[in-house]
Amino acid sequence: MNEVVTHAASTEESLPEVLMRLVSELHDVAYLIERVEPQLLELGGPDVLQSPESIKVLQGIDLAVQKTRGLAEFIDTITATIPDQWTVDVSTALSLVKLADMRKALANGLRHGHSQPLGKAAGDFDFF
């Protein structure tokens, strides 16, 4: 019985710290989405803005960036009101994250700069 209690206590982390790591990941997602738009414009050429469907896709990209940043700011703001003593067990949630880099960033407290490997060569991707 003591082993279970000890194990559970070792996976608990400060809720504000976990939420701030989530905020960092959301900012990364917004940045990665934002990088798609200029590439689409380059691939589509000057005529891409003449298509109503293309305009809808580009507007959808902008909306996804705005929503992602909005969620990050919302979580950031409410996190400021949460006492540091509040803890949460992140082990189950982390087991559901499929991207290894994101799991590492969320688990290890990495919040500095971009947690995603933005410098990977074109064509590199993770199988999951």
Side-chain angles (χ1 to χ4, degrees):
M1 181 88 168
N2 287 342
E3 286 182 36
V4 174
V5 172
T6 304
H7 175 66
S10 67
T11 60
E12 288 187 354
E13 296 186 40
S14 166
L15 180 57
E17 288 181 18
V18 172
L19 291 174
M20 290 308 295
R21 292 194 308 258
L22 182 59
V23 166
S24 179
E25 288 299 310
L26 286 169
H27 281 296
D28 281 354
V29 169
Y31 176 72
L32 292 169
I33 295 169
E34 197 170 43
R35 290 177 50 196
V36 170
E37 190 172 25
Q39 296 300 317
L40 290 177
L41 290 172
E42 184 178 317
L43 290 171
D47 294 333
V48 74
L49 296 176
Q50 302 305 316
S51 164
E53 289 303 314
S54 296
I55 297 294
K56 287 179 186 177
V57 169
L58 294 173
Q59 288 175 333
I61 291 170
D62 288 340
L63 181 59
V65 169
Q66 290 174 24
K67 283 186 165 192
T68 304
R69 286 198 175 120
L71 287 169
E73 292 304 317
F74 176 81
I75 293 169
D76 188 13
T77 302
I78 64 170
T79 299
T81 65
I82 299 173
D84 287 334
Q85 301 87 333
W86 287 14
T87 60
V88 63
D89 183 346
V90 296
S91 58
T92 301
L94 284 173
S95 71
L96 300 174
V97 177
K98 301 299 180 199
L99 295 173
D101 292 328
M102 187 184 303
R103 181 181 298 144
K104 182 179 175 185
L106 290 172
N108 294 337
L110 176 65
R111 287 191 348 204
H112 309 292
H114 292 285
S115 61
Q116 300 302 318
L118 300 177
K120 280 189 174 182
D124 288 355
F125 62 95
D126 293 327
F127 280 111
F128 35 116

